[in-house]
């Protein structure tokens, strides 16, 4: 694969170059180190007794038979645990929606944890859990989010006073006037069903309490901001009483590895028993009660537009079913505020957002943090407007895309897009797909009796993980920074080590940091060792969420490296008897620009800093170790009263083009061609970016065609195994052509933007577009994901009945 060609890369020696990820060596040799690989002496294991009902009162719990089983050490109920710990925070201002690891008195979803059983082995704990007798009295339940909003609906948390945990209507710009002036209005409803990332590794937490040091050691497969702080708070420990070991590999996440309730439970048991304790979810526990399900959202959208295709305004109502408890899930309605018009010039927006509780498994953060459903809703509307006007879908997008000369571009909700050239990315995607040939192939497939269609999407990928949605959704929360930090040291021998305070779940952070540090210090990146600190030795971090680590961790690593570079130059200037400005720096050596023979090499500079204090500039401390803490670009501000806010600093962009065919007899969809144009600014590691994009498309394919956490009318999860919750395999995922574009961000160190959510934010919309293009000739349409074979078959049947 060729190196990136954009002129921005000419300034770099290592950034943008193809390089094997540092982490791959240990993974491909089977030497990854995961939380389940940590086995402290005397380790005990937990199994869970879960509620079989969506809503019920707990009348009695009898654990006597379980306690008599071989190897069992104890059982734990909510009566004991919830009196000893503090509740988890609800994310919004809803203090009466109390959430604990174990239910007490009532259960609110099928799969909610009721009793924990601790034994010498997991098998013994499971056997004993089957002997626990819990008597329930079923109570009315609410599983439909819109029905749950009614005043007379069964209440999930009666003390809260309703099932709507958060609601706000935002109006940005002259919505009424723009609608009145528009020639046309078009309303529609779409639904995004619950799905997730379903990582290979379920969540695991191992805790060990040291009574002598009063420290709780934690090894967990975690991806969560503020995890050590929240864990300490809930366990009523001081912040320095919890040590989270971030040097464990995380076997996939993309948002869902929160695991706070798991770790509170295990941490409490470890402290009570004085033994290390582990809880490792099995797959059913993970899917039913592990809090890893994603957005479940209904959109009602109306677009106002003119006959030439110019879109003037949008009204959007979003109802999100968050399940029985609130963590950060309501905030998934917040990220879309920062890209509420997508990549289009839409002058005004009304956004009416509801977060609703039901008797279902709680939602948690999933890749994209609510942006992918919103992109799907907007892109569906673009296609509908094109059909209404009889206009080409690509031409309609071109007409409304923000122009490259309009950046920085302020959207109605108060966010400024940093940079972009959306039409160029669209053109590259169309060229990579060979669009005229794609149209001919579509027509040929139709002539063969198949249904065939082309899908297009043009979507934004906000990146940089700002904290702005926190005060926007809860004015009592005045968080205005989501910083990240990096520490770098150069030892006496000249070796470079970088330290970061976060976990990693496949995003290649070691590769990121070593590349950035190598670039600034001009040292071979493979010589830079990157380590994960534990939380007591760690630097401030807000974890790899929100496509933020290239921007934030990369910016922090660059900042620390620049401080060290300046120190090296100051040492050289002092010893060479010239001003700092008279020096040049190359491959770690400093030399007099006018006389290159006068130089101090890297090893000599390191030796002076560590051993020759008499050669150091006056007042400079010895050694070479520096930390830099990087604040989110454009962060640090509270929202305005009308909810305008700079939600994310950087905005990547992607355009998808896909050809799909459908077997009209079975409803099965096949993706035959797939091309993605992608712009995330300067790519620090192109291979990592491409891998994320490819995986993101596959993830989006699952959301579009296969994956759904379905519930019965009784609130029972109907897709708790991989027989029912279908994941895309190598057969379903097509060959994907990825073409890069680069509009550097003016806000970041190297011009980089985020890419962790790439592919996923545009692929569901594009695939849905292709399927509906295929269904249009027979008068069928689907406006709900996933578009499973059954859903397609039903839509075709309904269309045939109408024609008859």
């Amino acid at each position: 694969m060729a190196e990136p060609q954009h002129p921005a890369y000419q300034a770099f020696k290592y950034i943008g170059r193809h390089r094997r990820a540092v982490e791959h060596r240990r993974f491909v040799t089977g030497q990854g180190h995961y939380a389940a690989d940590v086995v402290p002496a005397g380790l005990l294991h937990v199994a869970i007794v879960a509620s079989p009902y969506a809503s019920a009162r707990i009348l009695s719990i009898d654990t006597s038979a379980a306690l008599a089983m071989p190897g069992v050490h104890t059982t734990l109920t909510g009566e004991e645990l919830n009196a000893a710990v503090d509740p988890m925070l609800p994310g919004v201002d809803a203090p009466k929606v109390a959430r604990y690891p174990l239910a007490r008195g009532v259960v609110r979803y099928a799969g909610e944890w009721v009793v924990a059983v601790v034994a010498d082995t997991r098998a013994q704990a499971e056997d004993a859990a089957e002997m626990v007798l819990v008597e329930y009295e079923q109570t009315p339940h609410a599983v439909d989010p819109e029905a749950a909003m009614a005043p007379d609906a069964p209440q999930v948390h009666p003390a809260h006073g309703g099932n709507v945990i958060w609601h706000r209507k935002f109006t940005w710009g002259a919505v009424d006037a723009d609608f009145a002036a528009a020639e046309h209005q078009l309303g529609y409803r779409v639904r995004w069903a619950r799905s997730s990332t379903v990582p290979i590794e379920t969540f695991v937490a191992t805790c060990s309490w040291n009574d002598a040091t009063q420290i709780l050691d934690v090894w967990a497969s975690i991806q969560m901001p503020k995890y050590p702080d929240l864990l300490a708070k809930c366990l009523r420990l001081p912040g320095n009483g919890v040590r989270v070991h971030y040097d464990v590999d995380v076997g996939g996440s993309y948002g869902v590895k929160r695991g706070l309730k798991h770790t509170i439970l295990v941490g409490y048991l470890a402290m009570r028993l004085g033994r290390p304790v582990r809880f490792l979810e099995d797959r059913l526990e993970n899917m039913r009660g592990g809090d890893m399900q994603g957005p479940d959202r209904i959109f009602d959208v109306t677009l106002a537009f003119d006959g030439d295709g110019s879109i003037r305004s949008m009204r959007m109502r979003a109802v999100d079913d968050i399940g029985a408890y609130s963590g950060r899930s309501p905030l998934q309605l917040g990220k879309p505020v920062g890209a509420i018009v997508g990549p289009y010039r839409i002058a005004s927006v009304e956004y009416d957002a509801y977060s609703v509780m039901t008797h279902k498994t709680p939602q948690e953060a999933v890749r994209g943090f609510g942006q992918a459903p919103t992109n799907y809703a907007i892109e569906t509307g673009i296609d509908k407007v094109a059909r209404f006007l009889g206009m080409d879908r690509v031409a309609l997008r071109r007409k409304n895309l923000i122009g490259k000369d309009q950046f920085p571009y302020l959207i109605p909700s108060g966010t400024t897009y940093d940079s972009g050239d959306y039409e160029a990315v669209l053109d590259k995607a169309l060229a990579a797909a060979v669009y005229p040939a794609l149209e001919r192939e579509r027509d040929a497939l139709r002539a063969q009796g198949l249904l065939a269609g082309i899908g297009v999407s043009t979507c934004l990928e906000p990146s940089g993980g700002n904290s702005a949605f926190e005060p926007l959704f809860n004015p009592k929360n005045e968080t205005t920074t989501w910083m990240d930090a990096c520490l770098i040291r150069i030892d006496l021998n000249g070796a470079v080590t970088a330290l970061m305070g976060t976990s990693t779940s496949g995003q290649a952070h070691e590769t990121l940091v070593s590349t950035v540090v190598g670039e600034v210090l001009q040292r071979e990146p493979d010589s830079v060792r990157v380590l994960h600190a534990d939380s007591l030795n760690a630097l401030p971090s807000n974890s790899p969420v929100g496509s933020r680590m290239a921007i934030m961790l990369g910016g922090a690593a660059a900042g620390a490296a620049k401080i060290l570079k300046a120190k090296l130059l100051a040492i050289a200037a002092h010893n060479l008897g010239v001003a700092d400005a008279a020096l040049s720096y190359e491959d770690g050596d400093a030399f007099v620009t006018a006389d290159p023979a006068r130089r101090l090499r890297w090893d000599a500079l390191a030796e002076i800093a560590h051993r020759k204090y008499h050669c150091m500039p006056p007042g400079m401390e010895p050694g070479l170790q520096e930390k830099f803490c990087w604040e989110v670009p454009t962060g640090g501000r509270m929202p305005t009263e009308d909810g305008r806010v700079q939600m994310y600093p950087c905005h990547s962009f992607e355009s998808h083009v896909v050809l799909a065919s459908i077997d009209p007899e079975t409803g099965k969809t096949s993706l035959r061609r797939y091309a993605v144009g992608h712009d995330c600014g300067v790519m620090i590691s192109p291979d990592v970016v491409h891998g994320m994009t490819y995986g993101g498309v596959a993830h989006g394919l699952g959301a579009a065609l296969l994956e759904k956490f379905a519930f019965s009318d009784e609130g029972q999860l109907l897709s708790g195994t991989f027989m029912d919750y279908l994941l895309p395999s190598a057969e379903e995922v097509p060959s994907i052509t990825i073409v890069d574009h680069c509009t550097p961000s003016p806000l970041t160190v190297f011009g980089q933007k985020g890419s962790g959510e790439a592919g996923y934010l545009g692929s569901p919309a594009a695939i849905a577009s292709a399927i509906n293009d295929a269904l249009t000739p027979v008068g069928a349409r689907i406006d709900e994901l996933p578009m499973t074979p059954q859903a397609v078959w039903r839509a075709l049947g309904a269309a045939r009945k109408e024609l008859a």
Side-chain angles (χ1 to χ4, degrees), residues 474-604:
N474 182 3
K476 294 180 180 178
N477 184 340
E478 295 188 349
T479 301
T480 55
T481 180
W482 254 34
M483 68 289 187
D484 248 86
C486 184
L487 181 145
I488 304 173
R489 66 172 61 98
I490 303 170
D491 62 30
L492 173 60
N493 296 320
V496 182
T497 302
L499 198 67
M500 56 182 170
T502 186
S503 61
T504 186
S505 50
Q507 304 97 328
H509 296 144
E510 293 166 43
T511 304
L512 163 69
V513 172
S514 60
T515 303
V516 166
V517 173
E519 183 67 48
V520 175
L521 295 178
Q522 295 185 30
R523 306 295 291 173
E524 172 57 50
D526 284 342
S527 72
V528 178
R529 188 175 301 280
V530 182
L531 301 175
H532 296 261
D534 63 59
S535 62
L536 291 186
N537 290 296
L539 302 147
S541 174
N542 279 281
S543 84
V545 296
S547 290
R548 67 190 305 274
M549 297 313 272
I551 296 167
M552 296 306 301
L553 181 58
K562 286 179 178 180
I563 296 172
L564 280 171
K565 181 179 175 181
K567 189 171 183 178
L568 291 169
L569 285 168
I571 293 171
H574 179 71
N575 283 270
L576 294 171
V578 298
D580 292 10
L583 293 177
S584 294
Y585 182 92
E586 184 178 64
D587 296 331
D589 298 347
F591 58 90
V592 179
T593 306
D595 185 4
R598 296 181 60 200
R599 68 173 56 219
L600 280 173
R601 299 194 180 277
W602 173 266
D603 292 344

Side-chain angles (χ1 to χ4, degrees), residues 169-180 312-315 340-341 346-351 410-415 640 642-645:
K169 179 187 281 189
F170 300 92
T171 301
W172 300 301
V175 175
D176 290 341
D178 288 340
F179 264 80
R312 290 175 176 260
S313 187
M314 176 177 70
R315 289 192 173 106
I340 196 64
V341 296
I346 300 176
S348 60
V349 175
E350 178 184 281
Y351 181 47
L410 177 65
I411 68 172
S413 60
T415 284
T640 61
D642 63 351
R644 295 176 196 264
V645 64

Side-chain angles (χ1 to χ4, degrees), residues 91-93 166 170 330-334 337 468-475:
V92 293
D93 187 13
W166 185 88
F170 300 92
L331 305 181
Q332 295 198 83
L333 287 164
V337 169
F469 41 72
E470 294 189 359
L472 182 67
F473 274 51
N474 182 3

Side-chain angles (χ1 to χ4, degrees), residues 218-220 222 224-229 243-250 500-504 532-536 538-539 541 543:
V218 179
W219 297 267
I222 195 69
M224 179 181 179
K226 304 292 192 294
Y227 172 74
D229 312 271
R243 176 165 51 207
V244 176
H245 295 265
Y246 286 125
D247 61 342
V248 294
D249 295 311
V250 179
M500 56 182 170
T502 186
S503 61
T504 186
H532 296 261
D534 63 59
S535 62
L536 291 186
L539 302 147
S541 174
S543 84

Side-chain angles (χ1 to χ4, degrees), residues 99 195-199 223-225 253-259 290-295 297 320 322 326-332 362-370 469 482 543-546 648 699 757 760:
R99 185 183 189 188
S195 59
S196 189
T197 64
V198 197
Q223 182 193 353
M224 179 181 179
S253 174
Y254 285 105
V256 300
K257 292 285 182 72
R258 318 291 287 180
D291 306 343
M292 52 76 74
Q293 300 182 12
R297 196 168 298 175
D320 203 25
I322 69 164
S326 170
R328 294 180 70 79
S329 48
L331 305 181
Q332 295 198 83
Q363 258 195 49
E364 267 302 350
V366 167
R367 188 184 205 169
F369 207 56
F469 41 72
W482 254 34
S543 84
V545 296
Y648 279 64
H699 183 187
E757 292 152 347
Y760 178 65

